[in-house]
Amino acid sequence: CIFLCSSIEKLLYYVSAWIHGDPRKVVYPTDSHGQFCGHQNTPNAHKAILFYFNMLKCANPAVLINLQCPTTQLCVSKCPDRFSTLLDAWNTKNWDYYRQFCKPATEVIRDEDCPSMIVPSRPFLQRCFPDFITRNGILTVANQTLFKDGNNNERSVIDLKEAAKGLASLLNAKEIGMKIFEDYANSWDWILIGLVITMVVSLLFILLLRYTASVLLWLTVFGVFGALNYGIWHCYWEYDTLTGKPGADVAISDIGLHTDFSIYLQLSQTWLIFMISLSVIEVILFIMVIFLRMRLRIAIALLEEGSKAISHIMTTLFYPIITFFLLAICIAYWAVTAVFLASSGNAVYKVTPTDDACMYANLTCRPKTFSQTNITKVCPGAQCLFAFYGGESVYHRYILVLHLCNLFAFLWLVNFTIALGQCTLAGAFASYYWALKKPDDIPACPLYSSFSRAIRYHTGSLAFGSLILAVVQLARIVLEYLDHKLRGSQNACARFLFCCLRCCFYCLERFIKFINRNAYIMIAIYGKSFCTSSRDSFCLLMRNIIRVAVLDKVTDFLLFLGKLLISGSVGVLAFFFFTRKIPVIQEEVPSLNYFWVPLLTVIFGSYMIAHGFFNVYAMCVDTLFLCFCEDLERNDGSSSRPYYMSPGLHKILRRGEEGATLGTAS
């Protein structure tokens, strides 16, 4: 009943958001009367750009970033391309051009119906901003450094820059964004080829594990060390080459932040940092391999057994595609709902006086009745202009709460999707393990059967486990937000408290993920409730804590090295390709502004693809391990109660237990 009431309440919130929300408020700019610019079937259909009457009033850069300014705003079809003032243009041949930036009027032009001045501008984010150009270190607008304002006073273009000083960073961000978009447009096909190569290599890697797991995984370990050694040597060679070169000894802190990464690659300090970082990583991995060498052998043997299960249920390798599709739906639903929530509200108008002395400044007003109020007499020249979309109702006051509800629903759905995948895979691999005669007793279509059971019988358990995890994750996000807000505070006690809370909730989240994962395996095996399965799996693991210590993290370490090797190899290949260091296909390389854009995309995408394939392996090993522990407690190997495990798996894990016991005793 609680879940039902909570779901109904959230549904009402979302219905309110979809009723009150209007994504046009996010897409289209709005003039002083709250009308959209460029929206079809409106008077402004062919006027898609917003024009500010007096840019000098936009002194606060936050005003421009928030897309509102305390001056009249008008929808126009194009931005002005010249300097002019209303006094100079009136009753001259320039009036026909100037009047297109005035309010539509059928009679005599009144005050505030026209801008006092116009400056050469260009559209940015569908708004007219001054066309700033720096020539020889001098800031200009249309090759001019001076202009006349509405009172015919001579002003410097620096005044425009100060009025829109947030514009420089926005223009820079736009330029970078356009270059990145251009790089993606030019290299998307090669990025796709790199990801396809990763998919093929990951699939081949898993198929080869079926027959050459020991050799392949040891080659993976040595391959990672070989790649690290090559990286260290290359960094030293670059560092030694740049040492003594003019300008190469400049510190990175003196260079500052640049989008062109090639600048940093010309500094010797950059390669020294890379070399030290790779050396530290290699030392850590080497120490781990030395201390885990015996356990690595046992984990490799367990992976060989897991590869047999996957070879009999090959459809499990493609289940991550279903998970990705469901996650994409969750993300799309969250994003659309967030847009509707952000755009919900009615047009709010505020009194905008000509000076700061007006007592009615920033008060809410109504445009239709504003001329009849006393405000126009007390504050001559004041206008009732559109400010933002919002409201004073209970719904609008709790918009932030609704955003949190939307975020919570998103986390819940994402965790449920992941839980569904874990339970489905666990059920499929459990059907392999509990088949007495393998593969003859394995049921037909085990993955489909497991998915059907999870949807039909275990939805409530999966939702409950996902709910607990979503609550903890939401608490972590709120703590991160509060910590960010308190970062400038001088209260050391508050900062320490938030740091402790963040650490505790991080550990709690990791613990709940561990409990949930094993609980879903028990749910898939026995079909019991979430709480019962959590208790049974936790007690079972605690009774076999030595085996858990031997195999759990060691197996994860091996799979991590495999993901690292695949994504790193494809990343190195992409690096040589996009930097034109492969002579055979050098002419096929697209022209790029930043080669790191497709490179990082390929590396990240490759890791995610390899992670999806290897997660199936990890779930297979965890399921087999939990089934093995349960099998040992339920059966004794006699003819009446035979083991369901293969003799090889029994020998492997028994050896791991004895080795771990000896290691602990020594």
Side-chain angles (χ1 to χ4, degrees):
C1 293
I2 295 175
F3 290 147
L4 180 60
C5 293
S6 177
S7 301
I8 293 175
E9 183 180 7
K10 290 181 176 61
L11 179 62
L12 292 176
Y13 285 153
Y14 295 142
V15 169
S16 298
W18 286 74
I19 292 175
H20 294 284
D22 189 351
R24 295 179 303 173
K25 301 170 186 176
V26 180
V27 177
Y28 301 102
T30 311
D31 64 10
S32 296
H33 297 287
Q35 298 175 342
F36 300 117
C37 297
H39 189 249
Q40 297 297 325
N41 301 322
T42 65
N44 294 326
H46 302 290
K47 300 177 180 179
I49 308 173
L50 190 66
F51 170 71
Y52 297 92
F53 268 30
N54 191 350
M55 180 64 69
L56 294 174
K57 289 186 177 181
C58 305
N60 187 356
V63 173
L64 284 182
I65 295 174
N66 293 329
L67 309 180
Q68 293 301 332
C69 183
T71 184
T72 303
Q73 299 159 40
L74 186 72
C75 297
V76 296
S77 58
K78 61 180 180 180
C79 296
D81 59 5
R82 67 193 71 173
F83 283 107
S84 184
T85 64
L86 179 60
L87 296 176
D88 293 338
W90 185 256
N91 290 331
T92 64
K93 61 181 180 180
N94 292 329
W95 175 244
D96 289 337
Y97 176 81
Y98 196 96
R99 69 183 302 170
Q100 65 180 315
F101 302 104
C102 298
K103 295 179 181 178
T106 57
E107 299 178 358
V108 180
I109 298 296
R110 300 167 296 179
D111 293 340
E112 300 296 335
D113 282 346
C114 290
S116 59
M117 65 174 184
I118 58 175
V119 298
S121 307
R122 58 176 172 175
F124 173 64
L125 296 176
Q126 292 183 267
R127 288 153 182 90
C128 292
F129 286 121
D131 190 8
F132 293 110
I133 299 176
T134 302
R135 299 182 184 276
N136 299 324
I138 300 175
L139 184 68
T140 64
V141 175
N143 296 326
Q144 295 188 31
T145 58
L146 300 174
F147 68 98
K148 290 183 179 181
D149 61 11
N151 298 321
N152 271 348
N153 297 323
E154 197 169 71
R155 304 285 292 270
S156 172
V157 295
I158 297 178
D159 296 334
L160 284 174
K161 180 184 177 182
E162 290 297 322
K165 59 184 178 182
L167 180 63
S169 59
L170 290 175
L171 290 176
N172 188 32
K174 179 192 177 185
E175 182 181 359
I176 295 173
M178 291 299 295
K179 289 183 178 180
I180 291 176
F181 179 79
E182 183 181 351
D183 289 341
Y184 277 123
N186 293 333
S187 61
W188 68 269
D189 49 346
W190 293 104
I191 293 175
L192 189 61
I193 291 174
L195 298 181
V196 171
I197 291 175
T198 303
M199 187 177 298
V200 173
V201 172
S202 300
L203 187 59
L204 289 176
F205 191 94
I206 290 178
L207 292 177
L208 288 175
L209 282 176
R210 172 68 177 85
Y211 305 101
T212 60
S214 179
V215 176
L216 193 60
L217 288 172
W218 279 115
L219 285 177
T220 299
V221 174
F222 291 117
V224 170
F225 282 107
L228 289 173
N229 287 326
Y230 171 78
I232 293 171
W233 173 83
H234 183 76
C235 292
Y236 174 77
W237 181 79
E238 292 283 357
Y239 172 76
D240 186 64
T241 303
L242 292 173
T243 301
K245 278 191 175 183
D249 56 347
V250 179
I252 296 178
S253 58
D254 297 333
I255 294 295
L257 183 63
H258 287 274
T259 55
D260 189 1
F261 282 7
S262 62
I263 297 177
Y264 300 106
L265 299 180
Q266 298 172 7
L267 303 178
S268 59
Q269 188 183 64
T270 302
W271 294 103
L272 179 62
I273 294 174
F274 286 163
M275 182 176 64
I276 294 175
S277 302
L278 292 177
S279 301
V280 171
I281 293 174
E282 183 173 19
V283 170
I284 294 174
L285 291 179
F286 182 75
I287 293 174
M288 292 179 65
V289 169
I290 291 297
F291 281 95
L292 299 176
R293 61 187 184 278
M294 294 301 298
R295 297 180 180 182
L296 283 175
R297 296 177 182 176
I298 302 170
I300 288 174
L302 181 61
L303 287 172
E304 287 180 341
E305 190 67 23
S307 64
K308 295 179 182 178
I310 293 179
S311 65
H312 292 298
I313 316 176
M314 288 296 295
T315 52
T316 55
L317 290 177
F318 301 97
Y319 186 83
I321 299 176
I322 300 176
T323 301
F324 173 79
F325 176 73
L326 295 176
L327 288 177
I329 295 177
C330 295
I331 294 173
Y333 171 77
W334 167 79
V336 172
T337 304
V339 168
F340 270 86
L341 280 172
S343 61
S344 61
N346 301 317
V348 176
Y349 299 87
K350 296 287 186 180
V351 177
T352 306
T354 56
D355 53 50
D356 297 332
C358 179
M359 59 184 296
Y360 296 103
N362 294 324
L363 291 181
T364 305
C365 59
R366 294 185 178 181
K368 295 182 179 180
T369 60
F370 182 72
S371 59
Q372 304 172 6
T373 62
N374 193 42
I375 300 177
T376 55
K377 298 178 182 179
V378 178
C379 304
Q383 301 182 75
C384 183
L385 300 180
F386 169 78
F388 55 86
Y389 283 101
E392 302 297 331
S393 65
V394 176
Y395 169 79
H396 295 104
R397 287 200 298 267
Y398 287 94
I399 285 291
L400 179 60
V401 177
L402 297 180
H403 274 293
L404 287 177
C405 291
N406 184 38
L407 177 62
F408 175 73
F410 168 71
L411 295 174
W412 194 354
L413 288 174
V414 167
N415 289 322
F416 177 81
T417 301
I418 296 174
L420 178 63
Q422 292 175 345
C423 187
T424 300
L425 292 174
F429 293 126
S431 65
Y432 164 83
Y433 184 91
W434 296 112
L436 187 59
K437 296 181 180 180
K438 303 175 179 61
D440 298 335
D441 292 343
I442 300 176
C445 304
L447 183 66
Y448 175 76
S449 300
S450 179
F451 182 80
S452 301
R453 288 194 303 270
I455 290 293
R456 185 176 180 181
Y457 299 110
H458 309 318
T459 303
S461 297
L462 300 180
F464 184 67
S466 305
L467 173 66
I468 298 174
L469 184 57
V471 170
V472 176
Q473 290 175 337
L474 183 65
R476 281 196 64 199
I477 292 174
V478 173
L479 285 174
E480 291 288 347
Y481 174 78
L482 294 177
D483 180 71
H484 177 74
K485 288 296 183 181
L486 294 174
R487 199 162 284 175
S489 173
Q490 301 300 321
N491 192 336
C493 181
R495 294 201 305 271
F496 174 76
L497 178 61
F498 273 100
C499 183
C500 292
L501 286 174
R502 289 168 58 203
C503 180
C504 292
F505 272 91
Y506 171 78
C507 296
L508 180 61
E509 181 184 355
R510 300 291 297 180
F511 177 73
I512 290 177
K513 284 184 176 180
F514 174 77
I515 292 296
N516 285 5
R517 184 181 180 92
N518 291 284
Y520 299 147
I521 296 175
M522 297 298 284
I523 289 173
I525 297 174
Y526 295 108
K528 297 180 181 179
S529 65
F530 174 80
C531 295
T532 303
S533 300
S534 299
R535 182 197 61 197
D536 293 345
S537 63
F538 183 76
C539 294
L540 181 62
L541 291 174
M542 289 301 101
R543 292 194 297 268
N544 297 270
I545 188 63
I546 295 178
R547 296 189 183 98
V548 174
V550 170
L551 297 172
D552 188 26
K553 295 303 176 184
V554 179
T555 305
D556 291 342
F557 175 69
L558 276 177
L559 295 177
F560 171 74
L561 289 182
K563 290 183 281 188
L564 199 64
L565 180 64
I566 292 175
S567 58
S569 302
V570 176
V572 170
L573 180 64
F575 173 79
F576 283 116
F577 174 77
F578 288 116
T579 54
R580 301 177 183 272
K581 293 184 178 180
I582 303 179
V584 180
I585 53 176
Q586 190 173 4
E587 297 180 356
E588 302 294 332
V589 180
S591 178
L592 301 172
N593 298 297
Y594 310 117
F595 75 89
W596 51 265
V597 171
L599 176 62
L600 293 180
T601 304
V602 169
I603 293 175
F604 178 76
S606 299
Y607 184 83
M608 294 306 297
I609 291 174
H611 179 73
F613 278 100
F614 280 84
N615 256 4
V616 176
Y617 235 102
M619 200 65 202
C620 176
V621 171
D622 289 347
T623 303
L624 294 180
F625 177 73
L626 211 60
C627 291
F628 167 80
C629 295
E630 185 74 10
D631 195 11
L632 282 181
E633 294 188 355
R634 289 171 50 184
N635 305 301
D636 56 8
S638 62
S639 57
S640 59
R641 289 190 301 167
Y643 287 131
Y644 284 83
M645 71 188 79
S646 64
L649 182 61
H650 182 257
K651 181 180 179 182
I652 290 166
L653 296 182
R654 280 295 189 185
R655 188 197 317 165
E657 181 183 1
E658 294 171 0
T661 305
L662 292 174
T664 305
S666 62

